[in-house]
Amino acid sequence: MIKGPPAGRTAGDNRPERVLILASFVNRVGNGLFNAAAMFYFTLVVGLPAAQVGAALTIAALIGLLSGIPGGRLADRRGPRTVMMLALAVQAVAMSALVYVESWAALTVIAAIDQLAAAAGGAAWGALVARVGTDRPALFRAKLRTYVNLGVILGTVGAGLAVTVNTRTAYLVLILGNAASFALCALLLLLLPAYAALAPPPQQRRWIALTDRPFLTFAALFGAMGLQYPVVSALLPLWISLHTDAPRWTVAAAFAINAGVCVLLQTRIGSRVETLRDGGRAFRLAGLLFLVSCPMMALAAHVPVWAAAGLVVAAILVHSLGEIWESSAGFALGFGLAPDHAQGQYQGLLGLGFGAGQALAPVILLTAVLGLGTAGWLLLGVFFALVGAAGPPLERWGARTRQALPAADADAERDGVPA
């Protein structure tokens, strides 16, 4: 439920909001440390073949999808802070155990445990964000994502230093640093109120999210639109290297521009997407921006070197703006369509849709799009535009099927106690 701000209040100026921003920042610094260098550690230090490492991480990610909805429902019934802290503790232990990995089987098991905890914790995190950011939800979530992006960037810089040193000790520092970030994040959450569960309406279905057709549709569309993330991280670097005359530094420039634009503009743009209607329009705009950026990336393969670099830079600027509008739409629709007493379950379903899209991304992007070349890029842009065009009608469908909370329930949510 979207609430207006009390007079004189802005996001980030109360203690719970500051605590959650800091905890999320710490956690994402650790993620950046590990994710950017994990493949190097397991292949160069542990000695596992790259194909085995990729298979282990893919299997673990698919297994992890199973815990999102149950973890979210547990957060709704036992309180999101408790479930998130438990998930972080499991991740801290699992991450520490990676320093003892010597086989593919051990890596698969430990990574699967980590991903199960991550999915459950992600759903609980969504429910916690909904409870903390009640004054200006759009502005708070935009600020939160800004600091999350900044944390990933800083962690990635640290990982780059370790990769440069390229010793076992350097990689172990990254792994244990990530484990420590989970533990510190959990400790910081102790500074948050112990938000009590919100009572569901009488005769409420246990798995309400799975019967909510508008939200199920949105989860699928959100997962489809989420393909835009590996466009930057996986598809574009290969396209630049294999099909364009652009210099290799263009790849690094694309990453830097994407990160910089998101950090600098997320709060300014995201704070404007507050209502369901705003979310539907933002989703459509994101699709149109991707429709512009994809042909620009394709055209880079057909122009001289100086023009290719310029096109890539321009395309990544447009794409980054689309990413901001897409994430803002995800916040507005993902939280706005979910009933307050079941935010965890709904965020778990949204995470399942997004995770499924990311799991399919290599096949869709690196096989189909890259294989088709320029035509693949054009089809990808049209695909994003069509997905985005569903935003406004989906928003209207969802708004028609929402039931407003009774006044007593709304007062209870605002006070952080059960109705």
Side-chain angles (χ1 to χ4, degrees), residues 89-125:
V90 172
Q91 286 190 276
V93 173
M95 190 59 53
S96 300
L98 287 177
V99 303
Y100 301 106
V101 163
E102 295 181 352
S103 68
W104 176 84
L107 173 60
T108 304
V109 171
I110 294 173
I113 293 172
D114 172 74
Q115 289 300 303
L116 286 167
W125 179 87

Side-chain angles (χ1 to χ4, degrees), residues 82 145 153 166 228 230 286 322 377 418:
T82 300
R145 189 168 190 269
I153 293 170
N166 197 33
Q228 61 91 5
W377 279 105

Side-chain angles (χ1 to χ4, degrees), residues 17-29 84 88 125 144 148 181 184-189 192:
E17 290 174 349
R18 291 194 298 268
V19 168
L20 191 56
I21 287 173
L22 177 60
S24 300
F25 173 78
V26 168
N27 184 229
R28 292 309 177 94
V29 170
M84 187 174 176
L88 288 166
W125 179 87
L144 186 60
V148 162
S181 77
L184 180 56
C185 181
L187 292 175
L188 286 171
L189 294 184
L192 291 176

Side-chain angles (χ1 to χ4, degrees), residues 285-323:
L285 178 56
L288 293 175
L289 288 168
F290 296 142
L291 176 62
V292 173
S293 66
C294 286
M296 293 172 70
M297 295 177 187
L299 187 57
H302 305 283
V303 295
V305 56
W306 59 270
L311 271 173
V312 169
V313 169
I316 205 66
L317 283 169
V318 176
H319 189 96
S320 299
L321 290 173
E323 179 179 330

Side-chain angles (χ1 to χ4, degrees), residues 7 25 35 72 76 81 101 126 181 194 222 228 275 336 340 343 346 359 367 386 391 400 406 409:
F25 173 78
N35 293 340
D76 293 329
R81 189 188 72 164
V101 163
S181 77
F222 190 66
Q228 61 91 5
T275 66
D340 296 315
Q343 282 285 353
Y346 273 71
T367 302
L386 291 175
R400 287 196 304 269
D409 286 354

